[in-house]
Amino acid sequence: MCGLLRLLEEPGFLSCGEFPLVRGWDPSTQQSILDPGFAGAQISVTPPEAIIPRGGSVTVNCSASCAELGLEIELSKKEVAQGVNWKTFELSDVREDISPICYANCPNQTESSVSITVYGFPDLVELEPLPSWQPVGQNLTLRCQVAGGAPRDNLTVVLLRGEEELSRQPAVGEPALVNHTVEARREDHGANFSCRAELDLRSRGLGLFQNSSAPRQLRTYVLPDTNLSLSAPRVVEAGTQVLVECVLGGLFPASEAQVHLALEDHRLNATITYNGDSLVARAPMQGLAGEEGTQQLVCVVALGGRDLRTREKVTIYSFPAPNLTLSQPEVSEGTLVSVECEAHSPAVVTLHGASASRPSERDQIHLNASAEDNKRIFSCLATLKVAGQMVHKNQTRELRVLYGPRLDKRDCSGNWTWPEGSKQTANCQAWGNPTPKLTCSRKDGALLPIGTQMLVKREIAGTYLCRAESSHGKVTREVVVNVIYHQNNVVIIILVAAVIILGTVGTAAYIYNRRRKIQIYELQKKAQEAAALKLNALASPP
């Protein structure tokens, strides 16, 4: 079969290759075979069928065995050519399928029809809007609407996810509505969905025509119903700042979640950190003076048009520090001092050093200041119960006691014995407030360095008088320095050692020479005895 039909330049004919398509055309004889009609009349129509675009034109040739012929059609027609027994008509602006009828009166009426099919592309191919957010795991129905398009038997609607074909269905109805259900997945987040109309006219000698809708992007999400935690102190002092934290895991996509942290109507400035499928929102929270009491701290995580929230109660409280007073912060030794500790109701106080008593809003002690009380720290601890929790505040004061110098044996031993040539430090500590000035000197005016290292010489030996003085008095103490040394000891040792060495060497030399002389004598004696024996042997008769 031939594919695409085209009009010949000669009116009234269509061609398929080099052969005109005339019903009953015999290519071997180049003659048309006319349809037999009534009473032996013959009529033919060319082309027997045709397919044209909507609004297009087509020419129809009617041939008969007589001259009385015509074309019956509801549309307007134009006769463009004629012969003895044929006529050619032009049909314009054809917008729907028609079947014109060629007729002839020879003498009875004979007729033959031609099938003209109009094709057209859809006027509308649209994928209905997708939900703003689609929960993962739930079904999503895709709906595509196709209006227009013909012939409908050749029109198919395809639903797509990206380039993946999800469904292929015929276009039924006007407009055609095609549905397909899929389960939303995590990987569908950000995916484009679309639908496509396919008009397949390849069997009619034309091509495959496609018309796609605008893509629509899907956003999927997971928002768990649990696991949202909010961490914050249960009690916060007015004027102080604390850090609150809201944590949620198992959500997707975490980076698109919105977090709202607020203390009552005050929104907190949160910093959000994302890690995989979890998020952590941290924000500083300040208790405001004048808003004491129990307030609601709320954390809201919104994603996909839904939100998850949790609340915690936070109690804002005011707690002034206790008042700790000394009757005099600086006193002379022996002065009576009063220490008083007082808290703001309903707090109670404990004064360190006071006799054990039931906690109350006020406590005090009295003491006669002594040297041991100098730089003594007094502590006042206030306790307040807030929302079932005990909170504390502490206040301290230091007492300074003025007293005269102290120069005790334990801090200045007073008797040092050092070898000459060694390095030593004379440690002598004087106490007092204000700090006394300490000097140690001999009767001849020589000073003994105190607290610094020195090289011990025999000249520093002697008795020293140490004086500690301040604006509150003076004390003294004698100390003795002994230096151990031995005169000419080294020379004597060297001489003794030399005598011993010389004596030892002389003795050894004497013993050696004596033994040597004895050995020589014994050898000479043995030689003489041997010679005498030899002479006696020679003198004897045979």
Side-chain angles (χ1 to χ4, degrees):
M1 290 294 295
C2 292
L4 180 64
L5 297 177
R6 65 180 177 84
L7 294 175
L8 293 173
E9 292 183 358
E10 295 181 3
F13 291 88
L14 296 177
S15 70
C16 177
E18 61 180 351
F19 302 111
L21 288 177
V22 179
R23 191 172 185 184
W25 179 266
D26 187 354
S28 62
T29 62
Q30 298 292 303
Q31 298 290 329
S32 60
I33 302 172
L34 300 179
D35 284 346
F38 293 103
Q42 293 180 336
I43 188 170
S44 68
V45 59
T46 305
E49 60 181 23
I51 181 166
I52 61 174
R54 179 178 288 109
S57 302
V58 65
T59 57
V60 178
N61 181 274
C62 294
S63 302
S65 57
C66 61
E68 294 185 18
L69 52 84
L71 180 66
E72 182 179 331
I73 188 172
E74 295 181 359
L75 300 176
S76 62
K77 62 182 182 291
K78 179 181 178 182
E79 186 177 316
V80 295
Q82 66 176 353
V84 177
N85 60 347
W86 61 269
K87 289 183 179 181
T88 300
F89 301 91
E90 182 180 44
L91 308 180
S92 303
D93 195 22
V94 180
R95 295 191 169 275
E96 58 184 13
D97 295 349
I98 56 175
S99 297
I101 299 174
C102 280
Y103 62 89
N105 295 317
C106 299
N108 298 323
Q109 183 171 336
T110 304
E111 60 185 34
S112 180
S113 64
V114 56
S115 175
I116 299 177
T117 302
V118 172
Y119 73 89
F121 306 133
D123 301 319
L124 173 69
V125 179
E126 182 181 39
L127 182 67
E128 291 188 2
L130 302 178
S132 298
W133 288 91
Q134 179 69 20
V136 170
Q138 292 190 11
N139 287 337
L140 170 68
T141 300
L142 305 172
R143 294 181 174 87
C144 181
Q145 180 177 331
V146 177
R152 280 302 176 102
D153 290 344
N154 298 86
L155 187 62
T156 303
V157 181
V158 182
L159 287 166
L160 302 165
R161 176 168 50 206
E163 297 299 324
E164 178 189 359
E165 185 175 307
L166 300 175
S167 170
R168 177 179 290 270
Q169 303 177 39
V172 179
E174 180 57 43
L177 298 176
V178 175
N179 299 334
H180 182 70
T181 300
V182 295
E183 183 179 301
R185 309 170 304 173
R186 283 196 177 204
E187 51 267 37
D188 291 334
H189 181 69
N192 287 324
F193 289 79
S194 62
C195 63
R196 183 174 68 213
E198 294 183 352
L199 184 62
D200 190 357
L201 299 179
R202 289 174 291 187
S203 63
R204 308 291 292 270
L206 300 178
L208 174 66
F209 304 97
Q210 297 178 338
N211 191 6
S212 297
S213 69
R216 297 190 184 275
Q217 191 177 71
L218 180 65
R219 294 190 295 176
T220 61
Y221 75 97
V222 177
L223 184 64
D225 295 330
T226 57
N227 300 330
L228 179 61
S229 65
L230 178 59
S231 302
R234 290 180 55 194
V235 295
V236 178
E237 184 179 2
T240 64
Q241 184 172 281
V242 297
L243 189 68
V244 299
E245 184 178 88
C246 185
V247 181
L248 179 61
L251 73 164
F252 171 83
S255 59
E256 297 195 33
Q258 303 295 318
V259 181
H260 175 82
L261 269 169
L263 181 64
E264 294 293 343
D265 297 331
H266 302 289
R267 182 165 185 171
L268 306 182
N269 186 20
T271 300
I272 306 173
T273 303
Y274 303 98
N275 184 15
D277 289 348
S278 64
L279 63 80
V280 179
R282 298 182 179 90
M285 181 184 73
Q286 186 170 18
L288 299 178
E291 297 186 3
E292 291 83 355
T294 301
Q295 300 186 28
Q296 291 287 336
L297 175 66
V298 61
C299 176
V300 181
V301 178
L303 179 64
R306 293 180 51 220
D307 62 66
L308 192 64
R309 64 184 60 211
T310 186
R311 299 176 183 272
E312 290 290 343
K313 290 182 179 180
V314 177
T315 300
I316 308 298
Y317 69 95
S318 292
F319 186 19
N323 294 323
L324 177 60
T325 58
L326 303 178
S327 58
Q328 298 180 68
E330 185 175 271
V331 298
S332 297
E333 188 176 17
T335 303
L336 181 64
V337 178
S338 297
V339 183
E340 184 174 304
C341 174
E342 186 175 7
H344 298 267
S345 181
V348 295
V349 296
T350 302
L351 179 59
H352 180 70
S355 58
S357 61
R358 185 175 181 180
S360 62
E361 295 179 12
R362 184 173 178 274
D363 201 356
Q364 64 179 357
I365 57 174
H366 304 282
L367 71 152
N368 286 318
S370 64
E372 288 74 16
D373 292 322
N374 184 43
K375 295 186 178 181
R376 179 176 174 181
I377 302 298
F378 293 91
S379 174
C380 175
L381 179 66
T383 304
L384 178 67
K385 187 175 183 179
V386 181
Q389 292 188 15
M390 307 303 291
V391 293
H392 307 278
K393 276 199 173 180
N394 194 44
Q395 192 75 274
T396 60
R397 292 286 185 271
E398 182 182 84
L399 176 64
R400 295 184 299 277
V401 179
L402 302 176
Y403 62 95
R406 303 282 195 275
L407 198 57
D408 301 328
K409 183 178 181 180
R410 64 179 182 179
D411 299 316
C412 190
S413 62
N415 191 358
W416 296 293
T417 301
W418 298 322
E420 184 180 24
S422 64
K423 292 182 178 180
Q424 303 292 336
T425 301
N427 292 315
C428 187
Q429 178 68 50
W431 300 98
N433 188 24
T435 302
K437 180 181 179 182
L438 177 64
T439 59
C440 295
S441 62
R442 288 188 310 206
K443 291 181 179 181
D444 60 1
L447 295 177
L448 178 66
I450 301 297
T452 58
Q453 192 179 66
M454 59 184 171
L455 180 63
V456 177
K457 299 180 180 180
R458 65 184 67 181
E459 290 82 4
I460 70 170
T463 300
Y464 294 81
L465 182 63
C466 293
R467 298 179 182 85
E469 298 181 71
S470 73
S471 58
H472 281 254
K474 177 180 70 173
V475 293
T476 61
R477 177 177 176 78
E478 282 190 351
V479 297
V480 178
V481 177
N482 299 306
V483 178
I484 302 173
Y485 62 91
H486 301 283
Q487 190 172 11
N488 297 326
N489 287 344
V490 175
V491 176
I492 295 172
I493 292 172
I494 293 174
L495 292 175
V496 171
V499 170
I500 293 173
I501 292 172
L502 291 174
T504 303
V505 172
T507 303
Y510 169 77
I511 294 173
Y512 173 76
N513 289 328
R514 187 173 183 280
R515 287 181 178 177
R516 186 170 175 274
K517 290 178 179 180
I518 293 173
Q519 288 177 351
I520 294 173
Y521 172 76
E522 289 179 349
L523 290 174
Q524 291 176 349
K525 185 178 181 181
K526 287 182 179 180
Q528 291 174 359
E529 289 177 354
L533 289 175
K534 185 176 181 182
L535 291 175
N536 291 332
L538 293 174
S540 298

